[in-house]
Amino acid sequence: MSAAQPVLAPGATIGILGSGQLGRMLALAAARLGLKCHIFSAAAEAPAVDVAHRTTIADYSDTEALARFAADVDVATYEFENVPAAAATFLAERIAVLPDPNVLATTQDRLAEKNFVAALGIPTAPFAAVGEAAALAPALANIGRPAVLKTRRFGYDGKGQAAIGDGTDPATAWREVGGQACILEAFVPFVYEVSVIAARGQDGVVECFDVTQNEHQDHILKISRVPASISAHTAQEALRIAETIAQKFGYVGVLAVELFVMRDGSVLVNEIAPRVHNSGHWTIDGASVSQFEQHIRAVAGWPLAKPLRHGRVEMINLIGSEIEDYRKWLTVPGAVVHLYGKTEVRPGRKMGHVTRVFADESRSFGRPRGAGSARF
Ligand code: AMP
């Protein structure tokens, strides 16, 4: 449990652990509300460093740097879920850290996370713990094939995962994930992947954005669309689940719940991200308040906004060399271009995104005239 939750005044400083594009967009949202951000970054060049009031460039194990950081900020938060637990605990002994670092212990471990969700009576894919190689065969017998083997920790964008189909040798899958503690999940024949971005304030009020439908390419989010093509009943259930999770954690800030939608309209929770999320980037241009502003409001002890969506919204990630198209995107009517300032282009790296808002809800997502094959 960290120090008492503060109510900040304009001019106060929010500390952010992590310096990627999520930290950058948090700092920009904070600045618009008259709040300053101090970014704690392991790298000297990083998207959030470019826009911060102050930065500390140090390792997360550097307790002197963490102590100086703590002394300079009024509250601390994070923009990635793999913040080393020791750093979060060290800070929480000195200042309020929101959301509470206890949440990290659950969300950093897929098994703890699935157990947490299941204990709330919320459906997930059937799963089993696989702590060692010898546990894989009995788990497979229990879960059946096809299945997905996932490392318990440090998996993202499909990394640390191996599919186990009819012909797969389990030993190969075990080697593929690096022979470490895993969970085995039944493969889910979902029709859609959706997410809910929920914000919970210090007063316990929860505000959710409309359910977002997500399309992945090579396990990386490519496009988010709102509204999702799901029934009102499915949407309500997804929102109820996200609110339940936020309340149960006693969460303060923004979290994302990723869900699978089944053919019959039922939903299963895939995972929880204890932070602002890529599938919520559409809210910057497509809603009256962004997920970043909601997070800043929550950690500052300010009232949350009730988000109003401006229309039908599409967010397209610019991944790897797709960033080279930014000049073309700049000329697309209505397109809002976000570049994260990353100089090194790497395959699979999120370099920026584009948002398109169509005021007319009924209009389908079409390509503007004259567009080439690259989704302009
Ligand atoms: P994750 O890292 O758990 O979010 O998984 C990355 C992606 O892999 C998800 O967005 C899904 O497309 C797919 N995936 C993960 N778990 C399952 C599952 N149990 N069944 C089917 N597809 C899955």
Side-chain angles (χ1 to χ4, degrees):
M1 194 68 186
S2 65
Q5 297 176 2
V7 175
L8 272 49
T13 302
I14 296 175
I16 300 176
L17 297 173
S19 54
Q21 63 267 20
L22 301 178
R24 178 185 180 97
M25 291 184 267
L26 282 169
L28 293 172
R32 202 159 61 87
L33 295 176
L35 293 160
K36 298 179 168 63
C37 282
H38 181 157
I39 302 287
F40 193 103
S41 173
E45 280 191 36
V49 167
D50 292 348
V51 301
H53 174 68
R54 241 195 301 280
T55 52
T56 295
I57 315 292
D59 194 86
Y60 288 99
S61 60
D62 183 341
T63 48
E64 269 176 40
L66 284 170
R68 279 197 308 275
F69 175 77
D72 184 58
V73 305
D74 297 292
V75 62
T77 186
Y78 27 89
E79 59 112 52
F80 72 119
E81 61 270 54
N82 289 322
V83 170
T89 309
F90 181 90
L91 288 176
E93 285 162 2
R94 290 158 176 79
I95 46 167
V97 179
L98 298 172
D100 193 283
N102 287 335
V103 172
L104 293 176
T106 305
T107 55
Q108 285 180 349
D109 177 350
R110 286 187 193 272
L111 181 61
E113 183 175 277
K114 284 269 182 334
N115 281 328
F116 169 81
V117 172
L120 294 175
I122 296 169
T124 67
F127 65 94
V130 180
E132 55 190 1
L136 184 50
L140 257 181
N142 174 17
I143 298 295
R145 298 180 188 228
V148 188
L149 186 65
K150 300 181 178 178
T151 57
R152 279 175 61 171
R153 305 178 77 85
F154 300 123
Y156 70 98
D157 287 349
K159 293 190 174 63
Q161 294 192 18
I164 304 185
D166 279 342
T168 312
D169 175 3
T172 308
W174 180 252
R175 268 198 307 276
E176 240 177 83
V177 297
Q180 52 184 306
C182 282
I183 66 167
L184 184 73
E185 283 179 28
F187 181 83
V188 175
F190 58 80
V191 286
Y192 297 124
E193 291 191 73
V194 299
S195 55
V196 176
I197 309 293
R200 184 175 177 278
Q202 291 183 18
D203 56 3
V205 170
V206 172
E207 293 290 352
C208 295
F209 290 93
D210 290 339
V211 181
T212 305
Q213 187 169 330
N214 301 315
E215 197 180 302
H216 296 82
Q217 249 171 38
D218 302 326
H219 292 283
I220 301 171
L221 181 66
K222 180 60 194 158
I223 303 180
S224 289
R225 296 186 175 94
V226 202
S229 336
I230 55 176
S231 70
H233 180 263
T234 298
Q236 262 167 19
E237 181 58 6
L239 296 170
R240 186 195 67 79
I241 287 172
E243 172 152 10
T244 303
I245 290 171
Q247 293 293 13
K248 192 68 190 177
F249 274 139
Y251 199 89
V252 176
V254 164
L255 62 72
V257 181
E258 298 177 26
L259 307 112
F260 297 134
V261 180
M262 308 303 285
R263 192 158 298 285
D264 65 1
S266 61
V267 291
L268 307 177
V269 167
N270 175 33
E271 64 179 356
I272 304 167
R275 53 169 170 79
V276 287
H277 193 255
N278 193 172
S279 68
H281 289 4
W282 66 266
T283 60
I284 302 176
D285 309 300
S288 55
V289 65
S290 74
Q291 62 165 346
F292 302 99
E293 179 172 335
Q294 288 289 65
H295 187 76
I296 294 296
R297 286 178 180 228
V299 301
W302 292 8
L304 296 180
K306 202 165 266 306
L308 300 177
R309 188 162 47 81
H310 296 322
R312 184 174 274 271
V313 192
E314 183 177 60
M315 187 287 308
I316 302 157
N317 268 340
L318 302 179
I319 299 168
S321 60
E322 288 169 357
I323 192 69
E324 286 156 19
D325 290 331
Y326 77 93
R327 292 181 67 89
K328 289 190 210 159
W329 278 113
L330 289 170
T331 66
V332 173
V336 187
V337 180
H338 297 252
L339 306 178
Y340 304 151
K342 298 179 183 176
T343 45
E344 194 193 338
V345 180
R346 288 197 299 266
R349 193 172 198 207
K350 291 171 180 167
M351 305 294 297
H353 72 266
V354 176
T355 314
R356 297 169 68 198
V357 182
F358 304 97
D360 179 358
E361 278 266 329
S362 62
R363 223 188 90 170
S364 69
F365 293 113
R367 291 178 189 173
R369 261 178 303 165
S373 58
R375 295 202 62 86
F376 292 106

